[in-house]
Structures are given as structure tokens and as C-alpha cells.
Amino acid sequence: MQRIDAARGLTTLHEDEALFRDSVYEFADREIRPLIRDMDEQAHIPRALIDRLFELGVMGIEIPEAQGGAGAQFFHAVLAVEALSRVDPSVAVLVDVQNTLVINALLRWGTDALKHTYLPRLAGGSVGAYALSESGSGSDAFSLATRATESGDGYVLNGRKLWITNASEADVFIVFATANPEAGYRGISAFVVERGFAGFTVGRKEDKLGIRASSTCELLLEDCQVPRHNVLGDAGKGYKVAIETLNEGRIGIGAQMIGLAQGALDHTVAYTRERKQFGQAIADFQGVQFQIARAATELEAARLMVYNAARLRDAGEPFVKEAAMCKLFSSEVAERVTSLAVNLYGGYGFVKDYPVEKLYRDAKIGQIYEGTSNLQLQTIAKQVLG
Ligand SMILES: Cc1cc2nc3c(=O)[nH]c(=O)nc-3n(C[C@H](O)[C@H](O)[C@H](O)COP(=O)(O)OP(=O)(O)OC[C@H]3O[C@@H](n4cnc5c(N)ncnc54)[C@H](O)[C@@H]3O)c2cc1C
């Protein structure tokens, strides 16, 4: 059902959207905020918190109700990621990958049997991960080296994946591999791989600058047996699965970045009203007010771009350019806004006892994953220049 009303503002939410967004934010404020420092230091999201995310209904947003999901739209996923990220971008990306990449790919490309097997599990307690990147193939994703060899009624996968978000927690992995390296991108297929499949291991976990609580690990595929019916989309069409899901995934990263920037701005407004220098609140200095006004303006522009891309996607309109633009811009805005937040906290911005130091570190990833900023510019340039 499409309900885009041109007479309303893009940021004017429908009642169900506003209720959903507010309930996710209230949850994050109440249950995630007290855990942020420990999760960042320990580089870990407690399983009990993940269970609460399932109970809240944010781990299967687009999964039909009949299969245990919320039966909502992509836009709701964007709102959930934004609201969570306003409190903690690490928890937000766990939810983002689950919805905008894994569930999205299964909904769009899965056979009825695959949907029947995996969607209820993903809605009911299993975390998903999306494994495209390798040590030698990042931006040039389709030069991947992981091999898929046909064997009996299935495939055997061999190779290593790198940088896989949610790998520590996930039970279900979408893994890309090539059955025919000579065919280039046309040799690539996507496979649904379970943690328990023979020959599958989660390897080393990265020690990161930001979004430290979000797990990022290597995957080892050593004669990993995958049944033929676990091919996602047609064999040889994995590149299409990847391109199309990542186009949508980028909107989710845009949402993560605007939520993060909003969180930093919230802290900064409160702090500058409180902090006194020269006998007055620093928020009373026009120099500070103008900096905050500019940050709020940039954030508003970024949010409009993210919401517009998400609404276009739900309406079935073209959105590839808008998705790339919203990720490019909102990740730059997040970096600028969090940097300003650190500046306006002064020395307190530079230490871990205050929240903005972490958000500054967390912001950087927005310009790297799901396509670096240069790759977004490449996509935009193709659309603009033809
Ligand atoms: C925390 C984290 C989580 C991640 N999660 C996942 C995940 O869940 N699943 C997954 O599959 N991957 C994931 N990734 C991988 C991520 O998508 C890649 O790191 C990213 O695509 C960049 O690839 P690369 O690191 O190999 O950099 P490279 O591709 O080597 O790029 C290095 C630099 O060169 C530039 N560059 C490259 N090619 C061009 C070009 N043609 N024109 C101009 N500039 C260019 C890039 O913009 C960049 O600045 C994650 C990465 C991180 C750090």
C-alpha cells in the first residue's frame, strides 16, 4: 500500500510510522543507552539485548506477519535504524544488516522454500549477515575469489570473506562466490549458508575505531557444503542480488548516519546550554549558535535525502542515484556534526566519560562500508553523465 501524499512534508510521518519510530527510540533510550560504554569497551552486544530487539519487532520489519514479521515497509526499517542510531550506531547496524540486506535479499530473490525456511527464523531469533567482501575485493567486489564448485546435489564453497558485520551473532549468512571466474561478474552466485553447515567457520574479529560493539569478522569456507536449493536467485545472477540489495542497503546506512548525527546534536544542544564560560552558557554566544544552526540545517537536508530515497524505493520508483547521494551526503554530515560536537564539548569532548567522542569515531564508517564515498560518486556520476 503506497501512501505518499505530495501535500505533506517528506518528514511528516504517518501515524503508524511516528508511533513506530517513537517506540523504537524510547526503547533505545531506556534499554540501550545504559549499555553503550560497556558495549563499546568490550566490543560486544549482549545476547539479551538482541533478544529484546526481536521482541520489539525490529528484526523482521518487512517479513510478512504470517511468517512472524512486522509486515511493514522498507521505510519503517529506515526509521528503526535512525532511531536506534541516535542512541547507538552499533546496535543500529545489526538491525540494518538484518533488514535492509539479509531479509531484503531473501524477500526479493528467495524461492518459496527458502522464504519458508529462513524468514520465520530471521523474525524469531536468528541474526543474519551478508558476506560479499574479501581481502582482495572491496570496491571491486565482483573480482571475488571465493569458489563455488558443483558437487552432487549442491555446491562446495572454498574461500575467505572479510569484514562481515554481525558474523559473531549470525546463524544465517548470504555468501557470494563464483562458479566460473572466467565469466567475471556473470560467474557469481549468492548462497544461503547456515553457521552449522560443514566447512563453515567464523574467524578473527576485527578491533575497530568505531561501531566497536558491532562484530566484524572473517569467514572461512573450507569445503563448505551448500545444498542446491540454497542458491539465492538464479545461479550466475549473484551480481544482481548484490547490486540491488546494496542499492537499498545504502539508504539504511544513510539512516544510520542521520540518527548518529541527531544523537550528537542532541548532546551538543544540552551541553552548550549547561556549560558556562565568561559568565554565561556557551549556547548564548552567537558564534556557537551559528555553528549549531548550520549543523541542524545540514542534518535536515540529509534526512530529507534519506527519507526521499526510502519513499521512492517503497513506491517502486527509480532510486539508485538518490540512494547513493543520501549515503554520500549523510555520512559527510555525520562526520561534520560529530566533529563539531567534540569541539563544542571542549576537552570533555575528547574523553570517554562524555558521549560525543564515541559518536565521532562511529561516524567514520559511513564513508567506507556498503560502497566508499568514491564509489557513491562513481554511481552518481554514471546517473548524471549517462
Ligand atoms: C566495519 C566494517 C563492516 C563491514 N561490513 C561488511 C559486511 O557486512 N559485508 C561485506 O560484504 N562487506 C563489509 N565491509 C566491507 C566494506 O564494504 C569494504 O571495506 C568497502 O567496500 C571498501 O572496500 P576495501 O576496504 O577493500 O577498500 P578498497 O576497495 O581497497 O578502497 C580503498 C580506497 O580506494 C578507493 N577506490 C577504490 N576503487 C576506486 C575507484 N574505482 N575510483 C576511485 N576510488 C577508488 C576507495 O574509495 C577507498 O578510498 C565492512 C567494512 C567495515 C570496515
Side-chain angles (χ1 to χ4, degrees):
M1 178 180 56
Q2 285 316 318
R3 298 166 304 161
I4 295 177
D5 182 350
R8 296 158 62 105
L10 256 184
T11 53
T12 308
L13 301 183
H14 293 281
E15 200 183 336
D16 62 304
E17 295 168 343
L19 276 171
F20 178 71
R21 191 241 352 238
D22 293 349
S23 68
V24 175
Y25 180 71
E26 280 157 23
F27 166 86
D29 195 37
R30 191 178 61 244
E31 300 197 27
I32 301 177
R33 201 179 291 287
L35 307 176
I36 295 175
R37 176 103 185 245
D38 275 356
M39 290 197 299
D40 187 55
E41 284 177 1
Q42 291 164 20
H44 175 67
I45 300 178
R47 181 65 216 195
L49 174 57
I50 296 173
D51 290 341
R52 294 287 293 132
L53 295 168
F54 279 99
E55 285 163 28
L56 186 67
V58 294
M59 294 298 275
I61 294 172
E62 284 190 272
I63 294 177
E65 286 176 61
Q67 285 166 316
Q73 290 189 295
F74 184 80
F75 191 73
H76 290 85
V78 160
L79 290 175
V81 171
E82 181 190 7
L84 291 168
S85 196
R86 192 171 162 194
V87 176
D88 184 40
S90 288
V91 175
V93 78
L94 179 127
V95 170
D96 175 72
V97 168
Q98 175 89 354
N99 286 285
T100 73
L101 295 181
V102 178
I103 291 169
N104 190 10
L106 273 161
L107 281 170
R108 182 190 293 232
W109 300 98
T111 57
D112 286 347
L114 277 179
K115 288 184 195 167
H116 183 75
T117 305
Y118 291 106
L119 292 178
R121 282 171 58 174
L122 288 162
S126 290
V127 174
Y130 187 88
L132 177 63
S133 303
E134 300 180 2
S135 60
S137 65
S139 300
D140 186 11
F142 298 145
S143 65
L144 57 80
T146 298
R147 283 297 303 265
T149 313
E150 286 198 65
S151 158
D153 194 30
Y155 288 84
V156 174
L157 305 189
N158 278 289
R160 282 169 179 237
K161 293 288 171 184
L162 198 63
W163 312 118
I164 307 310
T165 300
N166 291 355
S168 290
E169 300 82 11
D171 297 317
V172 177
F173 297 76
I174 296 179
V175 176
F176 293 85
T178 179
N180 182 3
E182 287 75 46
Y185 69 90
R186 289 199 170 87
I188 296 170
S189 300
F191 300 86
V192 183
V193 178
E194 297 184 26
R195 181 180 281 267
F197 282 2
F200 179 86
T201 325
V202 175
R204 196 176 75 92
K205 182 169 152 185
E206 304 295 337
D207 187 5
K208 306 195 296 295
L209 169 76
I211 57 162
R212 289 178 50 77
S214 159
S215 66
T216 312
C217 309
E218 193 178 17
L219 305 182
L220 313 177
L221 299 139
E222 292 161 324
D223 288 334
C224 175
Q225 320 276 333
V226 183
R228 189 177 299 277
H229 53 78
N230 274 32
V231 175
L232 183 61
D234 294 335
K237 289 283 165 58
Y239 70 96
K240 227 167 144 43
V241 176
I243 289 173
E244 295 195 7
T245 41
L246 286 168
N247 280 337
E248 295 174 342
R250 272 169 203 150
I251 308 173
I253 301 305
Q256 183 196 28
M257 292 295 119
I258 59 172
L260 189 163
Q262 183 65 58
L265 195 59
D266 295 344
H267 290 304
T268 305
V269 167
Y271 182 80
T272 55
R273 281 186 175 144
E274 194 96 337
R275 173 72 174 169
K276 289 197 169 56
Q277 288 293 281
F278 303 98
Q280 64 187 79
I282 57 173
D284 291 339
F285 294 114
Q286 196 180 53
V288 170
Q289 290 172 1
F290 282 7
Q291 287 177 298
I292 291 176
R294 183 173 297 284
T297 304
E298 288 202 314
L299 174 54
E300 178 76 2
R303 180 173 289 117
L304 286 167
M305 291 172 80
V306 171
Y307 284 16
N308 188 47
R311 296 256 194 230
L312 287 172
R313 185 276 188 193
D314 276 338
E317 303 278 339
F319 65 90
V320 171
K321 181 182 72 179
E322 289 77 5
M325 285 177 166
C326 86
K327 179 185 182 277
L328 174 78
F329 187 69
S330 58
S331 60
E332 290 176 353
V333 168
E335 186 176 40
R336 284 198 289 273
V337 173
T338 53
S339 176
L340 174 69
V342 170
N343 291 349
L344 289 179
Y345 266 73
Y348 301 99
F350 205 66
V351 294
K352 292 184 188 296
D353 286 343
Y354 291 81
V356 293
E357 174 266 353
K358 172 182 173 293
L359 292 173
Y360 180 61
R361 288 188 282 110
D362 288 347
K364 194 69 208 171
I365 192 59
Q367 295 175 46
I368 299 171
Y369 58 15
E370 297 201 31
T372 63
S373 289
N374 276 356
L375 269 286
Q376 304 309 320
L377 288 167
Q378 195 183 73
T379 300
I380 297 162
K382 260 189 218 150
Q383 299 276 327
V384 173
L385 298 164

